[in-house]
Amino acid sequence: MASSESSPKKGKSPTPRVPMPTQEPLARIKNFAEVALGYAEDQALIEASRCIQCKKPLCVQGCPVEVPIRDFIAHLQKNDVQKAYEVIKSTNSLPAVCGRVCPQETQCEGNCILGKKGEPVAIGRLERYVADTYMALSACDQITGKPECPLINEDLKVACIGSGPSSLTAAGYLAARGIKVTVFEALHEVGGVLIYGIPEFRLPKGIVAAEVAALKEQQVDLLPNWVGGKTFTIKELFDEGYKAVFIGVGAGLPKFLGIPGENLIGVFSANEYLTRANLGRAYDFPHWDTPTFPGRRVAVLGGGNVAMDAARTALRLGAEEVRIVYRRTQGEMPARHEELEHAVEEGVILEILSAPVEFKGDSQGRLTSMVIQKMELGEPDASGRRSPVPIEGAFQELACDMAVIAVGAGPNPILLDSTPELKRTRRGYIDANQDTGETSMPMVFAGGDIVTGAATVISAMGAGRRAAKEIARRLLGEDAA
Amino acid sequence: MQQTPCTIVKKERLIPGQTSKLVISCPHIAKKAQPGNFVILRVSAQGERIPLTIADADPEAGTITMVYLVMGKSTAHLETLEEGDALHDLCGPLGQATHIEQVGTVICVGGGTGIAAMHHIAKGHQRAGNHTVAIIGARSKNLLLFEHELKSFCDEVLIATDDGSYGHKGFVTQVLEERLKTDKTVKEVVAIGPVPMMEAVSKTTKPFGVKTTVSLNSIMVDGIGMCGACRVSVGGQVKFACVDGPEFDGHQVDFGELRQRLAAFKPQEALSFEAFKERHGK
């Protein structure tokens, strides 16, 4: 526990945290611009001053990439944003991303001592402020403190397969230590789920592009349109002289519900719906070529961040009514509090204690409605959450012309099928050491959703960082990592 | 491994304004391309991802060949590219390669631009030592594709035209049925072309109990198993054409559902094409 001096003083009422400026709900559902606008300088300084600089900062323990949170806030308190950025960047390759999409309430902020009596320091918002303010500067400068990037050793080549948060983190870590990294991405844009999955209004593509540009400055090679397992195999990478391979290909095989009518027109996986909107910029159709389906009454199935993203995207694409259909209650939804809050503010209806049982369509095969079974909460299950139990005979039909299934993803088979020697878990994910990312193949490491199943950006980054540390240790010796 | 632009080295207007053949330099894909594979390409930065079957591959020359029918905005845009131009993106090879083994006589049926895709598979069967018979069809003689290419290696090439201007007057299925009645050595039929044709071929072969493989052109977005847009029902099970296929047992495919799903974006496709034609003054 933190020492007594670092606890908030008794009798002193805690200062409330500085609220995040946001676009007004009625305005923002008509555009794809970012909802949360970020702190201005004075707001950031006031919020930073709330941090009491604990001797043993618990917040850091809650951070999968161990950002020295207390230290960066200390610099910020002196309005030294550049120093603050250097401190964050020393462990976090994607701070502008993390400041936006991390579930801070369960990580750093969830551990903040101020949260015991009042509101925790808004660590995520401060991280975002620092990253946004200083991202324009040279990434090499920031990380190494040297005017130029470290001399890259072209003989020590490492391949990262996939370009989502785990791979980009691994790439950044290795490049900063002078290792030549190639990132292979199957899609045409680099960023993985940060690009195809998370909408512009929550994470602008310009932010991802800036973080990727910082990696390019570190001489990381980025190869889009290269499909691991199809365009090349892992064995071929070693034949080409790569010394280690990091696999961060994400989960990315959409789960469906297995109920009748699921192939009707208008029933999408969240992956398809979000990929059309985000990667294909379907909101700008026909200026961009990828179309999407204009849903009027939309049902989104699931209660996680992906469901929130899909529901809010549907509103912005002009839907008149959007429902999130979830089989437990609002309290059990796995989405970030802020996303759920924003969705409700924007007019998304929560249809809780409801499980879909059938989709119905017209003679053209287009979705017209969906049947839901009403549920009640029973005993807690293995996850500790009370499990939903069907109420006998309680069915309801909801009119809808679009349904988006956001109930998770399984392991994508492409790379795994081409690499049968890679040991898998019972659930089909890659079997990798939790601390080092090591797999059953020598010098092949893995991390992120392809190891854990669908999780968060920051946990994938943590895995990328742990694996990169191990790779650096193997290639450069103990001191390097 | 490095990024080199995939450039068009040869363009042939097979049916002017309608169907063209592109030979594209992209050594890293050519090296890997097997019969049955497809690629995903984009013509411009704002373009959609278009799946196209690989009609031929030459690993030595580092080229792949593709044939397309101009039927909407994206293919019309592709048609504006000339020799020396680079594709914006080219990704592949994708999908499962055709399962090819030496079995005896194999009939490869092709219709429309599907003949080009069928050509690569027929080549594979020929190389595997099968007696390879191509049956190709079109509305009339001047719309018939790849006859010369198929004749250069197939054991037999049989032709059907709707108007009787060349070969048998009628459909490829009639030629196929005649052959199946008289030739008991036929072990497999492969059909690639428009959905109604593949469905008709599957119906034709069913009573003969001959294994029938079709290559499905369902709507795709990523082509790497991520989105599920291309899902098809095969034998009552849901499959993804991009990773489980694109080839499936024609006797098991739910063609009705496939037809409906292919029409999902008809209004948007028309809108997009109109906007393109306006911009290009057509």
Side-chain angles (χ1 to χ4, degrees):
Chain A
M1 275 305 290
S3 64
S4 58
E5 339 167 325
S6 61
S7 297
K9 286 199 177 96
K10 282 195 180 102
K12 192 179 165 191
S13 66
T15 359
R17 60 191 213 162
V18 179
M20 181 64 130
T22 55
Q23 273 198 74
E24 285 304 314
L26 282 179
R28 73 194 190 220
I29 59 171
K30 294 189 171 60
N31 65 58
F32 272 82
E34 199 168 12
V35 167
L37 300 172
Y39 280 158
E41 183 182 320
D42 55 336
Q43 292 171 311
L45 291 177
I46 294 169
E47 184 58 30
S49 72
R50 294 180 64 232
C51 173
I52 56 172
Q53 295 286 307
C54 302
K55 281 215 172 102
K56 288 179 190 155
L58 297 173
C59 49
V60 180
Q61 293 170 26
C63 175
V65 295
E66 301 164 330
V67 170
I69 293 163
R70 179 193 60 191
D71 302 345
F72 100 72
I73 295 180
H75 290 301
L76 196 52
Q77 287 174 341
K78 289 179 247 157
N79 203 7
D80 190 343
V81 183
Q82 177 159 346
K83 278 266 163 51
Y85 186 75
E86 280 168 21
V87 169
I88 297 175
K89 200 75 183 174
S90 71
T91 76
N92 187 347
S93 306
L94 310 169
V97 171
C98 288
R100 287 172 166 81
V101 305
C102 272
Q104 287 102 3
E105 67 266 19
T106 59
Q107 296 180 328
C108 51
E109 294 177 17
N111 279 11
C112 175
I113 197 85
L114 293 190
K116 304 256 187 254
K117 285 205 163 173
E119 293 175 297
V121 175
I123 298 167
R125 296 170 187 175
L126 293 178
E127 182 181 36
R128 170 181 165 161
Y129 169 76
V130 169
D132 285 4
T133 309
Y134 263 83
M135 209 161 44
L137 288 189
S138 155
C140 303
D141 256 17
Q142 301 307 322
I143 298 157
T144 61
K146 290 173 204 154
E148 282 170 17
C149 270
L151 188 65
I152 295 286
N153 185 342
E154 300 276 344
D155 292 333
L156 282 187
K157 290 196 296 182
V158 173
C160 294
I161 309 177
S163 71
S166 68
S167 263
L168 293 185
T169 300
Y173 186 95
L174 293 167
R177 280 149 191 82
I179 291 172
K180 181 75 186 171
V181 183
T182 312
V183 175
F184 295 92
E185 165 57 46
L187 293 172
H188 58 256
E189 238 179 288
V190 173
V193 73
L194 305 175
I195 288 291
Y196 74 74
I198 303 181
E200 184 85 12
F201 55 81
R202 196 149 78 82
L203 178 65
K205 288 174 192 83
I207 297 291
V208 182
E211 307 262 34
V212 169
L215 288 175
K216 276 192 198 161
E217 280 187 48
Q218 290 177 269
Q219 299 172 50
V220 171
D221 283 335
L222 303 161
L223 293 186
N225 298 309
W226 283 64
V227 188
K230 289 287 181 188
T231 320
F232 64 93
T233 63
I234 289 178
K235 187 188 168 294
E236 284 162 352
L237 291 176
F238 286 110
D239 292 345
E240 290 269 333
Y242 286 92
K243 301 285 186 270
V245 174
F246 175 76
I247 305 172
V249 294
L253 182 79
K255 278 189 186 151
F256 287 90
L257 299 160
I259 62 174
E262 215 158 18
N263 291 349
L264 288 165
I265 297 167
V267 182
F268 291 89
S269 75
N271 269 358
E272 177 182 355
Y273 188 60
L274 292 173
T275 299
R276 284 179 179 278
N278 300 327
L279 182 73
R281 322 283 205 268
Y283 49 82
D284 210 0
F285 178 85
H287 180 60
W288 283 67
D289 292 348
T290 305
T292 191
F293 191 73
R296 278 183 55 230
R297 301 173 116 176
V298 180
V300 178
L301 315 175
N305 289 327
V306 176
M308 302 301 145
D309 287 343
R312 298 171 70 199
T313 297
L315 277 180
R316 283 159 175 77
L317 287 170
E320 289 160 20
E321 181 189 280
V322 180
R323 284 167 198 277
I324 284 188
V325 178
Y326 184 61
R327 58 199 190 114
R328 304 180 206 242
T329 69
Q330 191 175 339
E332 283 88 23
M333 285 189 184
R336 285 182 70 202
H337 296 170
E338 188 180 303
E339 305 314 326
L340 180 56
E341 223 170 74
H342 282 167
V344 172
E345 276 172 17
E346 289 168 9
V348 172
I349 302 161
L350 301 183
E351 194 74 46
I352 54 160
L353 292 168
S354 305
V357 288
E358 187 186 353
F359 295 106
K360 291 183 172 180
D362 63 16
S363 59
Q364 261 72 58
R366 291 183 178 266
L367 177 70
T368 52
S369 71
M370 129 189 187
V371 180
I372 53 174
Q373 157 99 67
K374 299 305 282 183
M375 316 290 278
E376 58 191 351
L377 286 186
E379 294 303 307
D381 63 10
S383 73
R385 299 181 299 178
R386 293 176 64 194
S387 50
V389 182
I391 303 170
E392 210 179 315
F395 294 99
Q396 207 180 314
E397 194 163 335
L398 290 179
C400 57
D401 57 356
M402 184 165 119
V404 182
I405 300 172
V407 296
N412 186 291
I414 292 188
L415 181 68
L416 301 179
D417 285 354
S418 82
T419 322
E421 55 272 55
L422 205 53
K423 200 176 153 217
R424 302 204 223 171
T425 64
R426 219 160 24 88
R427 291 162 64 216
Y429 295 96
I430 295 178
D431 195 348
N433 182 308
Q434 228 194 318
D435 299 320
T436 62
E438 201 173 4
T439 70
S440 59
M441 289 174 77
M443 293 311 280
V444 176
F445 301 79
D449 286 4
I450 192 57
V451 172
T452 57
T456 59
V457 166
I458 189 69
S459 64
M461 289 178 59
R465 183 174 151 78
R466 286 191 296 277
K469 267 186 179 178
E470 182 63 17
I471 293 171
R473 198 181 66 77
R474 302 271 186 101
L475 297 184
L476 304 171
E478 288 296 334
D479 297 343
Chain B
M1 294 181 179
Q2 53 180 345
Q3 199 77 291
T4 41
C6 295
T7 317
I8 299 169
V9 292
K10 194 162 169 243
K11 175 168 179 174
E12 222 177 295
R13 290 180 166 79
L14 299 176
I15 304 168
Q18 190 196 313
T19 304
S20 288
K21 176 175 121 176
L22 301 179
V23 179
I24 296 164
S25 166
C26 51
H28 63 283
I29 298 178
K31 197 170 72 180
K32 292 278 177 161
Q34 297 295 316
N37 285 149
F38 65 95
V39 292
I40 294 251
L41 64 87
R42 288 199 314 154
V43 185
S44 69
Q46 285 80 35
E48 64 183 330
R49 297 169 64 87
I50 322 169
L52 279 180
T53 309
I54 298 171
D56 203 358
D58 184 339
E60 276 84 51
T63 59
I64 60 166
T65 300
M66 287 173 324
V67 175
Y68 56 90
L69 176 69
V70 176
M71 56 185 303
K73 194 245 149 131
S74 295
T75 40
H77 198 185
L78 181 59
E79 181 65 5
T80 65
L81 299 190
E82 298 296 340
E83 287 175 9
D85 290 342
L87 293 171
H88 198 279
D89 299 300
L90 187 61
C91 163
L94 300 170
Q96 301 288 338
T98 308
H99 179 79
I100 292 177
E101 57 180 321
Q102 195 182 353
V103 288
T105 301
V106 174
I107 299 180
C108 298
V109 187
T113 44
I115 300 172
M118 178 273 268
H119 162 265
H120 202 200
I121 295 167
K123 223 177 188 179
H125 277 293
Q126 180 68 28
R127 282 189 188 141
N130 289 313
H131 181 87
T132 307
V133 181
I135 303 179
I136 55 175
R139 282 204 311 281
S140 69
K141 185 181 178 182
N142 58 346
L143 298 176
L144 200 64
L145 301 177
F146 270 63
E147 181 196 356
H148 177 71
E149 286 88 340
L150 287 163
K151 277 188 169 159
S152 71
F153 65 83
C154 286
D155 296 288
E156 299 170 60
V157 177
L158 309 176
I159 289 155
T161 51
D162 296 4
D163 63 2
S165 51
Y166 190 34
H168 171 85
K169 183 180 188 314
F171 298 127
V172 284
T173 41
Q174 293 161 341
V175 178
L176 174 66
E177 189 168 23
E178 281 311 306
R179 181 61 180 253
L180 290 172
K181 273 182 189 162
T182 54
D183 184 351
K184 297 299 159 200
T185 68
V186 179
K187 288 288 181 288
E188 188 178 351
V189 171
V190 178
I192 306 184
V195 174
M197 186 212 93
M198 293 191 287
E199 186 173 12
V201 166
S202 302
K203 271 195 186 129
T204 304
T205 57
K206 188 100 202 250
F208 296 94
V210 175
K211 180 185 171 191
T212 301
T213 304
V214 292
S215 179
L216 304 185
N217 55 337
S218 40
I219 291 177
M220 290 180 189
V221 180
D222 57 281
I224 51 173
M226 202 187 79
C227 80
C230 63
R231 56 197 192 272
V232 288
S233 295
V234 182
Q237 281 192 313
V238 177
K239 300 280 182 191
F240 291 178
C242 70
V243 287
D244 300 319
E247 292 173 11
F248 294 102
D249 177 352
H251 297 146
Q252 303 282 321
V253 170
D254 183 340
F255 285 103
E257 183 188 275
L258 177 65
R259 266 201 305 274
Q260 286 186 333
R261 287 188 66 83
L262 281 170
F265 290 95
K266 273 267 154 67
Q268 289 89 338
E269 283 160 10
L271 186 69
S272 179
F273 200 10
E274 284 313 308
F276 176 79
K277 283 193 273 199
E278 246 171 57
R279 277 205 300 281
H280 284 73
K282 283 182 190 171

